[in-house]
């Protein structure tokens, strides 16, 4: 099976990390074409996955862009589509991993008569997309031979926006559990470096963005005992630097300067998660999947998460973690304090969650599901 994978990003986000594992079994016969250069290319090369960068600067259209910005990008799109179409003639199918990749891949699919697969990593709602971009995504997704949604929530949002449910299957993101069990750095060494060795540490792992809800965690932290602290792992991207400044001001206003650490981007997430006592997910809008939730579970850490979107499909609030209403700092503070005051409860839920995640989201099972879907697709076309 020869697959041309398309991805818009040069940086490794959740969709890219997912693609890294999906493409690995096809490294002898596939190619990953990127619309921007960056560290994601390096990760692919390290896994010996053939990769080609088709653009240096990337497409300038964003999720919130309207029709005018979309039309202005046509000068970039035309030559890019030509390059992808030329490449696609040597492959059995085109696999678009992101929304911009869908736009390019759909046109290249039409030109080359190669079947199109779209891996949907987004909730196509107006919380995340402009009306124009959502309409384009749904229209093109309906032209795909197969849509793989990363959660039931993502699939339902596509259908609600006019997508065809009969060609959309749900396959959750895959992980390699063994990679999360052995941290590279010592837990106590990290906590001493943070100056939090005597604290109950809540970890938040996400880019600094308003909808990721770091401000909600800070508000909740202010309602917790002084021995409860937080580390924020991630940096601001996509022009959201003002939000990072806002968070610093909030820390100062709430008097949390000695209880909050901004760690910026970190590559060794596993060690940092193991050094925390609780992982918090605080998105204020529905999350398509919730990769950080599963990573926390695989690390054997208790997890509290926002009760919306795909996250609801990951946690049983009576057995494997806590769910709180998005944006509800009071409920979040209560969950943190329960985990802090009842460590045996957090421990039981963490063990149950680790066992569940290791089985349900194992990369071997996920890749087998995807491979079976692609085989059926090509067999049907043949």
């Amino acid at each position: 099976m020869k697959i041309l994978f398309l991805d818009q990003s040069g940086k490794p986000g959740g969709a890219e990390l997912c693609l890294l594992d999906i493409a690995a079994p096809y490294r002898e016969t596939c190619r990953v074409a990127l619309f921007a250069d960056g560290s994601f290319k390096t990760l692919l090369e390290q896994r010996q996955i053939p990769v080609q960068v088709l653009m240096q600067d990337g497409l300038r259209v964003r999720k919130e862009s309207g029709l005018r910005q979309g039309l202005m990008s046509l000068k970039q799109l035309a030559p890019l589509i030509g390059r992808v179409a030329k490449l696609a003639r040597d492959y059995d199918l085109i696999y678009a991993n992101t929304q911009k990749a869908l736009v390019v891949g759909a046109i290249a699919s039409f030109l080359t008569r190669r079947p199109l697969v779209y891996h949907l990593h987004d909730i196509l709602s107006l919380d995340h997309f402009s009306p124009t971009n959502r309409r384009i995504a749904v229209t093109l997704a309906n032209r795909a031979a197969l849509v793989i949604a990363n959660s039931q929530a993502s699939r339902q949002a596509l259908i609600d926006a006019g997508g065809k449910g009969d060609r959309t299957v749900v396959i959750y993101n895959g992980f390699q559990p063994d990679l999360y069990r052995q941290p590279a750095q010592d837990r106590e060494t990290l906590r001493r470096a943070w100056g939090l060795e005597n604290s109950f540490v809540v970890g938040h792992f996400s880019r600094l963005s308003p909808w990721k809800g770091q401000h909600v965690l800070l508000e909740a932290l202010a309602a917790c005992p002084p021995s409860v602290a937080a580390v924020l792992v991630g940096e601001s991207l996509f022009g959201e630097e003002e939000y990072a400044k806002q968070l610093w001001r909030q820390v100062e206003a709430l008097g949390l300067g000695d209880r909050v650490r901004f760690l910026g981007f970190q590559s060794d997430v596993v060690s940092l998660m193991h050094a925390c006592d609780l992982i918090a997910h605080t998105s204020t809008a529905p999350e398509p999947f919730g990769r950080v939730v599963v990573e926390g579970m695989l690390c054997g850490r208790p997890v509290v998460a926002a009760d919306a979107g795909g996250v609801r499909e990951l946690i049983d609030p009576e057995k494997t973690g806590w769910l709180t209403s998005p944006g509800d700092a009071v409920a979040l503070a209560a969950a943190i304090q329960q985990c802090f005051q009842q460590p045996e409860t957090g421990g039981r839920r963490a063990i149950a969650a680790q066992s569940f995640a290791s089985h349900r989201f194992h990369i071997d099972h996920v890749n087998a599901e995807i491979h079976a879907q692609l085989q059926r697709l090509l067999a049907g076309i043949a």
Side-chain angles (χ1 to χ4, degrees), residues 200 202 217 219-228 259 278 304 322 324 329-346:
F200 179 89
V202 181
L217 175 57
E219 186 179 344
L221 188 65
C224 292
S227 56
V228 178
R259 296 168 57 191
L278 174 69
V304 55
W322 285 264
T324 61
V330 174
L332 177 59
I336 293 172
Q337 292 189 73
Q338 184 183 8
C339 191
F340 169 53
Q341 295 165 356
Q342 302 175 22
E344 69 284 354
T345 300

Side-chain angles (χ1 to χ4, degrees), residues 69-292:
Q69 292 93 334
L71 292 173
M72 290 174 63
S73 70
L74 290 178
K75 290 183 179 179
Q76 285 184 297
L77 277 176
L80 177 60
I81 292 168
R83 295 187 197 107
V84 170
K86 184 177 180 180
L87 283 173
R89 297 184 190 281
D90 294 327
Y91 294 88
D92 298 319
L93 61 86
I94 299 171
Y95 192 115
N97 193 53
T98 53
Q99 192 196 18
K100 294 176 186 177
L102 170 64
V103 175
V104 174
I107 300 174
S109 168
F110 174 78
L111 294 174
T112 61
R113 298 186 178 181
R114 297 298 187 272
L116 174 69
V117 175
Y118 175 37
H119 200 138
L120 175 62
H121 296 279
D122 297 298
I123 287 185
L124 294 175
S125 71
L126 297 179
D127 290 321
H128 299 284
F129 291 86
S130 71
T132 298
N133 280 349
R134 186 175 71 156
R135 190 159 50 249
I136 290 172
V138 172
T139 299
L140 296 180
N142 285 342
R143 296 185 62 86
L146 172 68
V147 177
I148 298 173
N150 65 351
S151 68
Q152 294 289 348
S154 295
R155 179 180 185 273
Q156 190 58 52
L158 173 64
I159 294 171
D160 291 344
K164 296 180 179 179
D166 60 348
R167 63 184 64 179
T168 304
V169 299
V170 174
I171 301 178
Y172 293 112
N173 291 355
F175 299 80
Q176 299 181 51
D178 291 345
L179 298 181
Y180 293 88
R181 291 183 180 136
Q182 296 297 327
Q185 301 181 69
D186 179 68
R187 168 185 170 92
E188 297 307 321
T189 300
L190 283 170
R191 291 168 70 96
R192 281 196 300 271
W194 300 338
L196 300 174
E197 59 267 38
N198 297 317
S199 299
F200 179 89
V201 179
V202 181
H204 193 289
F205 295 79
S206 174
R207 80 176 196 263
L208 303 183
S209 172
W211 84 273
K212 290 296 185 179
Q214 285 89 352
H215 60 283
V216 180
L217 175 57
L218 295 180
E219 186 179 344
L221 188 65
C224 292
S227 56
V228 178
V231 292
L232 305 183
V233 181
E235 61 185 1
S236 55
L237 302 173
F238 312 121
E240 293 172 331
E241 293 81 2
E242 181 55 37
Y243 179 68
K245 296 177 183 177
Q246 175 187 322
L247 292 176
W248 281 96
R249 292 193 294 267
Q250 185 180 6
V251 167
E252 183 178 358
L254 294 174
L256 299 174
D258 60 341
R259 296 168 57 191
V260 177
R261 303 290 182 266
F262 290 85
L263 303 185
F265 172 79
Q266 299 286 330
S267 57
D268 185 9
V269 170
V270 173
S271 293
L272 299 182
M273 283 191 169
H274 275 270
C276 296
D277 298 293
L278 174 69
I279 306 301
H281 165 276
T282 59
S283 294
T284 59
E287 192 89 50
F289 178 72
R291 185 180 183 90
V292 69

